Amino acid sequence: MDLIRGQLVRSRAGRDTARTFAVLAVEGQMLFLADGSLRRLQSPKRKKRKHVAPIATVLPGESLADDATLRKAIAAFDAASPPNPTRRESLV
């Protein structure tokens, strides 16, 4: 599955496991991710594609305008389908 700007992903590995991020850019196997709180738009997290689980939801461009808007969009998505960090197979 090709990842595009604005698509939501959940981390499958690392200390941020089960955390929801938005894709800012794709460069080969590396993704640049932000969530608006721990990882801001100005300093996105670099993560390999194999360490995330893609979600079919794609945020509109205006949701990526600033950190507060991104935080609200991700919080709304997580409220509708909360992550389950204890079940790794649900993220695969």
Side-chain angles (χ1 to χ4, degrees):
M1 172 182 217
D2 288 335
L3 297 171
I4 59 172
R5 180 176 166 83
Q7 186 169 359
L8 294 181
V9 295
R10 285 219 172 111
S11 175
R12 295 189 322 171
R15 62 182 169 185
D16 57 3
T17 300
R19 191 169 183 90
T20 306
F21 292 98
V23 176
L24 298 181
V26 179
E27 291 183 7
Q29 291 299 312
M30 296 304 291
L31 303 174
F32 291 88
L33 310 172
D35 64 358
S37 58
L38 292 178
R39 282 300 179 164
R40 307 262 177 174
L41 293 169
Q42 295 81 14
S43 60
K45 177 170 186 58
R46 291 181 64 221
K47 200 163 186 83
K48 287 187 179 180
R49 184 185 297 247
K50 68 181 179 179
H51 293 151
V52 299
I55 299 171
T57 304
V58 178
L59 298 176
E62 58 269 6
S63 293
L64 300 175
D66 60 20
D67 291 318
T69 310
L70 179 58
R71 251 192 326 269
K72 289 176 188 174
I74 290 176
F77 175 80
D78 282 343
S81 73
N84 189 353
T86 59
R87 292 188 45 128
R88 289 186 56 93
E89 63 271 7
S90 67
L91 298 175
V92 177

